[in-house]
Amino acid sequence: MSYKYAVIGYGFIGRRHVNTLMTMEKSECVAVCDIDKRRLDEVKTLYPDMTVYENAEELFAKEKLDGVIIAASNKAHKALTIQAAENGCNIICEKPAALTVAEFDEMMEAVNKNGVSFTVHQQRRFDKDFNTVKRCYDEHLVGDVYTIQSSLYGFNGNMHDWHVYKAEGGGMLYDWGVHLIDQILYMVEGKLNTVYADVRNVINKEVDDYFKIILRFENNVTAEIELGTYFLNDKPDWFERHWFVGGNKGSMNVNKFDPEGSIVKTAWLLENVSEDQDKSAASYGPTRSFGIPAPGLILTEPLPEVNCEQSDYFVNYFRALDGKEEMLVKPEEVRRVLCVMEACWESAKTKRSVDFEL
């Protein structure tokens, strides 16, 4: 069986969705909808047999669809999801699913009432860098983890298109924050106790372009997420993905989306010394832990190998529609991410930590 889908919104990610649907064995893209006629002209040039529509009402009235991918601007997600559900379509919605938790609850009410499926395109659960870190965490490759640091930095500062407007749902917390928060919540099990966030407008007037988020979990893991679009350094590959994982048996450093790095451990631990310390060079510094390591003390291991691609998101999706496996990105997980984002806004406003799942 091949599922017939339409893509609503033919921007950067909408173009990718059309291509994906056209290349997947289980799907075909039969229509594209966008309010910009120039984009529809591009569709007709690339896909002469594709039907195009300038509004969703006409799309739903004329096409018999199994589902839609909603890739319009963030503020349009709620209305389009409700409209798709009322027309009996299964739904993949771009992230963030909604601008508020209240909006999302309205969307899910329509989804549940009409008996359609709903999920969000959180494809970065399949990123290789993330899965390298997740495997380290799951398999205790550095022992019991106490800290996870996730960061991404840019050099330009400015954003594009509707992303620069607050009313459209622009800004980096909605754009990248939703991915970075989702990755942490998907990896770290258990309750999230507190949320602290510093969210700023460094270069942009209306929307955030920097944030630091600290998540403290009940299992004593602290996760730190930092993103800056104007966060500069002259180190090679600085403007890339970065992870640090600290455990009681070592640390992991992972850089780049195509991950590079290592697991670092010590061959032995220095003994605690209660009496007066030797002040010679052999003591490796006045406090021993922060001096020059002895030869052979620092050991490195290669990163674990992972095999995944973002396209695996759609493999899972269509297998789930066929009843062959569970849908990976579940509505309750999407809602939890939105709750964390709202806690981030509150923390940034009050400059205080916000209690979460106590």
Side-chain angles (χ1 to χ4, degrees):
M1 176 182 177
S2 181
Y3 293 98
K4 293 184 177 181
Y5 270 66
V7 172
I8 303 177
Y10 192 70
F12 171 77
I13 195 66
R15 290 172 169 87
R16 292 183 60 183
H17 285 316
V18 171
N19 181 68
T20 298
L21 291 170
M22 297 293 283
T23 55
M24 294 288 294
E25 181 181 352
K26 294 293 297 183
S27 66
E28 56 181 314
C29 184
V30 298
V32 171
C33 178
D34 197 288
I35 59 175
D36 189 335
K37 188 177 183 301
R38 294 172 299 175
R39 293 179 175 180
L40 298 182
D41 290 340
E42 178 186 321
V43 174
K44 294 301 293 182
T45 299
L46 295 175
Y47 309 99
D49 296 330
M50 189 86 67
T51 308
V52 297
Y53 297 93
E54 293 185 38
N55 64 79
E57 289 79 8
E58 186 180 9
L59 168 72
F60 290 120
K62 294 186 176 181
E63 296 288 341
K64 185 173 177 58
L65 301 167
D66 295 304
V68 295
I69 299 180
I70 297 173
S73 63
N74 293 341
K75 77 167 187 177
H77 290 179
K78 173 188 164 183
L80 289 171
T81 294
I82 293 173
Q83 193 174 7
E86 290 175 346
N87 281 276
C89 292
N90 295 316
I91 301 158
I92 298 175
C93 186
E94 260 305 321
K95 54 74 192 171
L99 298 181
T100 66
V101 176
E103 278 192 4
F104 183 75
D105 288 344
E106 288 185 59
M107 293 158 62
M108 290 310 302
E109 183 178 351
V111 165
N112 295 329
K113 178 181 178 181
N114 290 281
V116 298
S117 71
F118 177 91
T119 188
V120 172
H121 187 228
Q122 294 286 176
Q123 84 283 8
R124 292 199 175 275
R125 292 190 185 186
F126 292 98
D127 281 1
K128 288 183 178 179
D129 62 287
F130 167 67
N131 278 278
T132 300
V133 175
K134 188 174 186 300
R135 182 170 172 186
C136 171
Y137 182 87
D138 291 343
E139 298 181 9
H140 300 276
L141 299 183
V142 295
D144 296 331
V145 171
Y146 63 90
T147 184
I148 302 170
Q149 298 171 17
S150 165
S151 56
L152 179 65
Y153 303 124
F155 55 86
N156 183 56
N158 291 304
M159 283 164 265
H160 65 281
D161 202 22
W162 55 264
H163 292 278
V164 301
Y165 301 113
K166 187 174 182 179
E168 298 286 339
M172 280 293 112
L173 191 58
Y174 280 136
D175 189 17
W176 266 98
V178 63
H179 277 310
L180 305 184
I181 293 169
D182 180 73
Q183 287 181 336
I184 294 295
L185 296 186
Y186 184 58
M187 176 165 50
V188 181
E189 72 282 356
K191 290 182 178 180
L192 172 62
N193 286 164
T194 62
V195 176
Y196 173 82
D198 181 10
V199 184
R200 301 191 181 219
N201 301 41
V202 177
I203 299 294
N204 292 271
K205 294 181 179 180
E206 281 197 34
V207 295
D208 61 287
D209 48 23
Y210 170 86
F211 57 77
K212 182 189 286 289
I213 301 167
I214 298 175
L215 308 175
R216 293 183 60 88
F217 290 86
E218 191 175 54
N219 64 358
N220 292 321
V221 173
T222 297
E224 179 180 329
I225 303 170
E226 185 173 60
L227 179 143
T229 66
Y230 194 68
F231 203 95
L232 309 181
N233 199 303
D234 62 354
K235 291 181 180 179
D237 301 316
W238 175 254
F239 306 115
E240 262 275 13
R241 195 72 167 91
H242 305 284
W243 293 87
F244 175 83
V245 182
N248 63 355
K249 293 184 180 179
S251 302
M252 170 187 268
N253 294 279
V254 179
N255 296 302
K256 299 186 178 182
F257 288 100
D258 190 9
E260 297 177 0
S262 60
I263 294 173
V264 182
K265 297 181 178 180
T266 52
W268 67 88
L269 292 176
L270 300 176
E271 294 181 358
N272 292 327
V273 179
S274 57
E275 64 270 13
D276 191 29
Q277 294 184 39
D278 174 16
K279 299 302 188 294
S280 69
S283 68
Y284 304 111
T287 59
R288 303 202 315 154
S289 291
F290 301 102
I292 301 171
L297 177 62
I298 302 298
L299 305 176
T300 61
E301 300 175 2
L303 297 177
E305 292 187 9
V306 297
N307 183 22
C308 57
E309 301 289 344
Q310 288 189 1
S311 59
D312 293 339
Y313 170 92
F314 284 95
V315 174
N316 164 260
Y317 176 76
F318 288 114
R319 286 184 62 83
L321 285 189
D322 287 341
K324 295 180 179 179
E325 60 188 54
E326 191 176 31
M327 192 81 74
L328 181 70
V329 183
K330 302 173 181 61
E332 58 269 24
E333 296 170 338
V334 174
R335 189 180 192 277
R336 189 177 184 223
V337 171
L338 290 172
C339 287
V340 171
M341 292 173 69
E342 288 197 351
C344 288
W345 292 119
E346 180 182 350
S347 176
K349 181 179 179 180
T350 62
K351 296 180 172 56
R352 296 178 182 274
S353 293
V354 174
D355 289 340
F356 202 70
E357 297 166 335
L358 295 179

